Amino acid sequence: WPTRTNNTPREIPPPLYNIPTYVYPLLTGTVPFGVIFMELVFIMSSLWQSQVYYMFGFLFLVFVLLCVTCAEISIVFTYLRLASENYKWWWDSFWYTATLGLYVFIYSGVYYETQTELEFSRHLVSSLLYFGYMSVISLGIGLLS
């Protein structure tokens, strides 16, 4: 059609500074997590400790900041991937911000150990319920970002 393409794909050069490609999504997930961290503390306190959450205006502002931050991170790291002549960028652009869900789940484990008064061995059903709900919430946040 407009240009002639080659059937043989080009060789992808090695990554910059020999950093493995799976490290970049793990690093980029920390920035959106830093944006939502304090709001996450308040929301988890209202969910699991029966406290009242009443800062919905500030929650909307944090949501807007999260959307802008995730878009910027995805654009910048996809550009860096394409600038290094790596044409397999589709899933990487998704994983750059989706690792936020992993960090939320890790923090839910930290929150479980430090803020709740449950012990896993004595309150098995409550603990499984907590981690089940938090895994679904973390998955949703990861897909949303």
Side-chain angles (χ1 to χ4, degrees):
W1 168 243
T3 60
R4 211 166 140 189
T5 58
N6 192 355
N7 290 337
T8 310
R10 293 179 60 186
E11 183 179 336
I12 298 173
L16 189 64
Y17 302 120
N18 291 327
I19 298 174
T21 56
Y22 64 86
V23 172
Y24 291 116
L26 294 176
L27 294 176
T28 56
T30 58
V31 177
F33 181 73
V35 169
I36 67 165
F37 174 71
M38 283 311 296
E39 254 341 92
L40 187 65
V41 171
F42 293 130
I43 290 171
M44 288 180 71
S45 294
S46 69
L47 279 175
W48 301 112
Q49 294 181 348
S50 300
Q51 295 181 0
V52 178
Y53 185 80
Y54 52 86
M55 299 182 294
F56 293 106
F58 191 66
L59 178 65
F60 178 72
L61 178 66
V62 169
F63 177 72
V64 169
L65 283 174
L66 175 68
C67 290
V68 169
T69 304
C70 287
E72 288 176 350
I73 285 176
S74 185
I75 289 169
V76 166
F77 276 88
T78 301
Y79 171 76
L80 291 174
R81 175 62 68 108
L82 290 172
S84 67
E85 297 180 7
N86 189 343
Y87 54 86
K88 296 182 179 179
W89 58 272
W90 305 284
W91 282 106
D92 291 331
S93 65
F94 171 74
W95 288 118
Y96 287 142
T97 56
T99 52
L100 170 63
L102 175 69
Y103 284 108
V104 169
F105 188 72
I106 290 171
Y107 178 71
S108 71
V110 171
Y111 184 86
Y112 177 82
E113 287 295 324
T114 59
Q115 300 294 322
T116 62
E117 297 174 359
L118 299 174
E119 294 178 18
F120 193 79
S121 61
R122 287 185 19 193
H123 301 97
L124 182 64
V125 175
S126 298
S127 301
L128 290 176
L129 187 69
Y130 173 81
F131 283 111
Y133 278 138
M134 287 311 297
S135 63
V136 170
I137 290 170
S138 300
L139 180 68
I141 289 174
L143 291 176
L144 180 70
S145 65

